[in-house]
Each structure stands twice: as C-alpha cells, then as structure tokens.
Amino acid sequence: MSLYEKLLSGEEKLSLVGLGYVGMPIAVAYAKKIKVVGYDFNAAKVDLYKKGIDPTREVGDAAIKETSVEFTADPEKLKECKFHVVAVPTPVNDDHTPDLSPVEGASHTLGKYLTKGSIVVYESTVYPGVTEDICVPILEKESGLKCGVDFKVGYSPERINPGDKVHRLDTITKIVSGMDEETLEEIANVYSLVALAGVYKAQSIKVAEAAKVIENSQRDINIAFMNELSMIFHKMDIDTKSVLEAAGTKWNFLNFRPGLVGGHCIGVDPYYLTYKAEELGYHSQIILSGRRINDDMGKYIAESAVKRLIANDIAVKNAKVAILGFTFKENCPDTRNTKVIDIYNELLEYGITPVVVDPEADSDEAERLYGIEFDTLDAVKDMDAVIVAVAHKEFENYKPADITKFFNPAHATKVFMDLKGIYDMNDYKAPEFDYWRL
Ligand SMILES: NC(=O)c1ccc[n+]([C@@H]2O[C@H](COP(=O)([O-])OP(=O)(O)OC[C@H]3O[C@@H](n4cnc5c(N)ncnc54)[C@H](O)[C@@H]3O)[C@@H](O)[C@H]2O)c1
C-alpha cells in the first residue's frame, strides 16, 4: 500500500509543523479527509486552537471548533506521523539576508521524531536549494536516517493570500515537487486531497522553490514600477489611477496599482532570491531597485502629507493626523511587516503623533511589535489631515459625509489622503478637499 493509501485508510497520519496563516488552513483542510496532527511550538497559539479560536481568521472559529486536527505543542506527537508538511516562517534579518532559523529549527525538531518511510514536504517560501542543501542534512543528522533511502522530501509552495476569500487553498493550482518520480506521485496524490483546483508537478524541487520566489518578486517589481510612476505623475500633477485606467484599455497592459508593499511575502521573498544570486556572484539590478522604491514609499507618503499641510497653511508640528488602517493588507488582522509604520514613524519625525485606528487589526500584536495603541473611530475628529492607508471593507463604505466628520470644521480645506484610491475623487473636489492618492 502506498503512503497515500495508508493516509486515506487511517493507518498513517499527516502532520503540520507550524500552524500560522498557511499551516493552520492546510491542517484543517486535510483533517476533512485524513488524520492530522497539528504541531506548533507556540503553546499559547495551540491553546487558542484547542479552545476553538482562530486568531488568523483564515478559517473562522466554527471551523476550528469542528475540526478533527489534533492540535499540540508536544513535538513527540510527530513520531506518530508519516507525511509531514512544514509551514514555518521565512523572514529576513535587519540586513535583509534570509533568516532560516525557523526552517532550520523545525527541521531539527522534526528530524528527532522522523521515522523510516516518511515524506517531508516544505511549504515555506525559500530560495532554490534550501530544501535539499540545508533542510535535508539537518533531518539526516537528527534522525540518523538517509534521505532517498529511509525518507523522502518534496517542496510545495503556498500561494494562499490571507484575507482573500476567492483565492483559497481549494481554488488555486498547487505546485508540487519531489526528489524522485515515486515521491512526486505520492506528494501529488496527497495534495490532491486539498488542492481541489489541481496540482502542477514541477520538474524538480529547486524549480518549485524558484517558481514561488519569482511569483512574488514579479509582483514586487511591478508594484515598484507603479510607485515610481506615481511619484513622477505627482510632479506632473497628473492622477496616476486615471493614467492606469486609460492605459489599461490596451490588451496587454498589466493591471497593477501603486501601494505599500508590506507583509512577509512580497516585501521579503525577493531578498531570498537576491541573496542566493549574490552568493553566486550576480548582483541584482532590477529586483533590488524595486525593493528600494517600495521600501521608501511610507516615507514618501508621510512627506507628501506634510507638504499638503504646509500648502494649506496648517501648522505641521503637533498637527492632528489620523491614519485609518494599520495592517499590511486589507481585511486581514496581520500587522507584521506593515509599511504603515513607516508613515507613522516619519510623521513622528515632523512632530506629529498620528491617531491610528484599525478595527481589523490584531491590536495586541501591534502593541507588542510597534508599541502602538489603536484609538477608536470616536477619536478621529477635529483632524488636520486624514490618511486612509488600508482598503478595509469598512473604510470603503464611507461616504463624503462620514469623511467630512473626521475633520476640524475650522479648516477651509480638508487634507485627505486616500492612498489606495478607494473613493471616487470626484466626491472630494477642491476647494473643500485637498485630495491626494498614490
Ligand atoms: N501568510 C502568507 O500570506 C503566505 C502566503 C504564501 C506563503 N507564505 C509562506 O509560508 C510560510 C509560513 O507563513 P505564515 O504566514 O503561515 O507564518 P506564521 O508566522 O503565520 O506561522 C508560522 C507558525 O510556525 C510556528 N513555528 C515557527 N517555528 C517553529 C518551529 N521550529 N516548530 C514549530 N512551529 C514553529 C510559529 O509559531 C507560527 O505559528 C512562510 O515561508 C511564508 O513566506 C505565507
């Protein structure tokens, strides 16, 4: 019987190592078909899951309560499993070099409990070579087993998009790869249980690793181009969104928009690729230029806010500025690597302490990571400037009357920055508004 068949019959179990935005939804999806152990070394997070609480909001509390996933912070449970999926974070260090310590740490732990006949699939986003050159030696050393003989490995990058209710695990094609044909078949079969839109069998593990890292690099570069255009068009007093809408009528014009690039994927993954390229003697031209532009956008936006205040004869020091939205993307509680913090910090440099409101965000996390305490919407009144930084649904519903209420009624002109262009600019015309968008 193949491992796939043994999983289906309940004779063997699958484990998830790392139960975050990526790992937890996969665990829950697999648990509808087979026996699953969900292991995370964060005992507090595991306790939440056990209580039926989904802090990521990816599947919701009801699905967590119903799931048969055996949540645990005890790594010994991994011994009971034969098919392992590793979905731990892959951040960068302050100097933008890859921080592989979570992937290495998870491999050390898993290696200790790995048994003969197992398959280990990494899902974490990495540069080509990490699975075979870094993880496999750790697994071998810890387990005393030989890769290719006693256990096999594969790689299957994750494409889910937190907060996105359309592109889900069951609606997107999943790339799978394995160290040999037989392993690839097993991995493809197992993933077909949850990747209902189908699997794509990549030619090798390194190809699959590279595919993921370039998907996000391509996005990063395209957004950087839009951000550069936005800076150019502001100098020309042309509205970028209107230009893009016009250009978008051409059949092969790519539909990208300017914006802040935060989070732990698009703003991070390109550094994994450029790090490896650098190690091999190639210094990236395009990828790193894009990164620099995107990394500087928060500062650019804050400076633009200050210029708008000055242009409207509003004192900059101690100006009352509200930032609506703090997460790294819309309709998602995640504030890690948010670039809104760059706007906030830059405004502090000008003597402005912004009021920050984000009804979607994980406020404990924001306080822990940035020392920022959110205000409620009631605090957004008598403002000198309002910056809608994140396109949360709740903000999108605002009408001009709602926006007007945020401002100091004494101001002849309201400095209103709609970074993502979620409102109709015709509703915010001069002289009542000084409307600005990227
Ligand atoms: N979140 C996304 O949008 C997304 C999308 C596609 C790919 N990815 C990639 O997927 C990977 C995971 O991302 P995520 O957003 O789920 O991260 P996350 O931080 O939400 O979750 C990772 C989990 O792994 C746990 N963990 C870390 N080290 C561990 C260890 N040694 N043993 C056990 N558990 C450990 C953490 O406690 C955490 O709960 C990353 O490589 C990321 O780049 C993320």
Side-chain angles (χ1 to χ4, degrees), residues 286-334:
I286 293 176
I287 305 168
L288 286 181
S289 302
R291 279 284 65 244
R292 265 192 301 278
I293 291 175
N294 286 344
D295 268 350
D296 284 345
M297 287 312 283
K299 188 170 187 296
Y300 172 72
I301 291 162
E303 283 169 355
S304 301
V306 168
K307 287 178 190 169
R308 298 326 313 151
L309 289 171
I310 293 170
N312 288 286
D313 290 327
I314 299 170
V316 171
K317 195 169 173 202
N318 295 325
K320 289 188 72 176
V321 176
I323 300 179
L324 303 191
F326 190 73
T327 55
F328 86 87
K329 66 181 297 193
E330 60 277 6
N331 307 318
C332 162
D334 200 348

Side-chain angles (χ1 to χ4, degrees), residues 186-221:
E186 288 274 27
I187 293 172
N189 285 336
V190 173
Y191 270 95
S192 297
L193 291 172
V194 290
L196 303 181
V199 295
Y200 174 86
K201 294 175 189 167
Q203 185 247 355
S204 69
I205 289 177
K206 284 193 177 75
V207 164
E209 291 170 322
K212 169 68 193 178
V213 86
I214 69 152
E215 282 169 24
N216 283 352
S217 301
Q218 183 190 60
R219 209 170 152 68
D220 194 42
I221 292 162

Side-chain angles (χ1 to χ4, degrees), residues 17-23 39-42 45 56 87-90 101-102 105-106 109 123-125 158-162 212 216 264-265 269 328 334 336:
V17 179
L19 297 171
Y21 285 83
V22 166
Y39 163 71
D40 198 297
F41 70 176
N42 180 341
K45 194 178 258 187
T56 70
V88 295
T90 40
S101 57
T109 306
E123 287 230 5
S124 303
T125 306
E158 186 50 63
R159 286 170 161 165
I160 63 151
N161 186 18
K212 169 68 193 178
N216 283 352
H264 22 264
C265 292
D269 300 348
F328 86 87
D334 200 348
R336 293 171 301 167

Side-chain angles (χ1 to χ4, degrees), residues 16-20 23-24 37-46 49 70-75 78 87-89:
L16 239 302
V17 179
L19 297 171
M24 186 275 294
V37 169
Y39 163 71
D40 198 297
F41 70 176
N42 180 341
K45 194 178 258 187
V46 169
Y49 290 141
E70 201 182 330
F71 293 112
T72 182
D74 176 6
L78 297 172
V88 295

Side-chain angles (χ1 to χ4, degrees), residues 116-136:
K116 271 194 180 176
S118 293
I119 293 181
V120 181
V121 180
Y122 287 85
E123 287 230 5
S124 303
T125 306
V126 292
Y127 57 76
V130 168
T131 301
E132 289 152 303
D133 305 340
I134 294 180
C135 299
V136 163

Side-chain angles (χ1 to χ4, degrees), residues 162-175:
D164 184 336
K165 302 295 175 213
V166 178
H167 301 104
R168 317 286 311 158
L169 193 56
D170 52 357
T171 63
I172 47 188
T173 302
K174 189 113 174 61
I175 295 179

